[in-house]
Amino acid sequence: SQQGEEDPQALSIQEGENATMNCSYKTSINNLQWYRQNSGRGLVHLILIRSNEREKHSGRLRVTLDTSKKSSSLLITASRAADTASYFCATVLIGGATNKLIFGTGTLLAVQP
Amino acid sequence: GAGVSQSPSNKVTEKGKDVELRCDPISGHTALYWYRQSLGQGLEFLIYFQGNSAPDKSGLPSDRFSAERTGGSVSTLTIQRTQQEDSAVYLCASSLARSGETQYFGPGTRLLVL
């Protein structure tokens, strides 16, 4: 079963605009990761934020984590057509014997040129 | 260096046949994972291998599914007596052993059971 939900399910914006996606999860985590998927195939790792971190940046990406609300957000600034993809958050549970990822439902982002 | 590779890229089979899916992890990665992505279930964990430890098979949906990892490297996921609901993209990922490390995914195998 999936750990949580992402919203919106789909997002359409114009090139140059910012895109914000939200992820909520249910149980305590070790870390939360964001992945991008193009055309329903391999997942590309974007960024990892640990449970003791509140914000992290990587290029045009900004991720926040609020463990009290069990939520995270991914902000993509100055979006480009090439950012069009599905974005998934995934959590690694605290205390788990494995580091298996539990995925959210995903957000489909379309960036219009 | 080379990333995670999977073969075949696509597989079409008839209901009731067995299929084998292969994963080559990144060299040096001792942890290997299989996931499945289907329309109805989203992305879900199947099985995890870590070194010589017993695998975590908690995500396998039925006893028709099995996986092995030979020599701590290549892994094969086998689905026996395939059913139409097995149609999905099967994704393999590998990572370093340390807790919380990033998982690197292969391109997946798209399985269609007719």
Side-chain angles (χ1 to χ4, degrees), chain B residues 77-89:
Chain B
L77 176 69
T78 301
I79 310 173
Q80 295 178 308
R81 304 181 304 281
T82 52
Q83 303 293 312
Q84 289 181 331
E85 61 262 29
D86 299 334
S87 296
V89 176

Side-chain angles (χ1 to χ4, degrees), chain A residues 84-95:
Chain A
T84 294
S86 291
Y87 291 81
F88 294 89
C89 67
T91 53
V92 175
L93 300 185
I94 195 166

Side-chain angles (χ1 to χ4, degrees), chain A residues 34-96:
Chain A
W34 285 90
Y35 285 84
R36 184 185 73 217
Q37 184 178 44
N38 292 87
S39 305
R41 298 306 290 262
L43 291 155
V44 175
H45 181 261
L46 296 176
I47 198 164
L48 181 154
I49 187 165
R50 302 192 188 278
S51 60
N52 61 352
E53 297 175 311
R54 292 296 167 258
E55 187 171 313
K56 209 162 182 181
H57 297 254
S58 176
R60 294 185 295 113
L61 305 181
R62 172 178 167 253
V63 168
T64 62
L65 179 64
D66 186 336
T67 53
S68 66
K69 296 181 179 177
K70 292 187 169 58
S71 67
S72 174
S73 68
L74 171 67
L75 168 68
I76 304 174
T77 59
S79 63
R80 306 165 181 168
D83 295 329
T84 294
S86 291
Y87 291 81
F88 294 89
C89 67
T91 53
V92 175
L93 300 185
I94 195 166

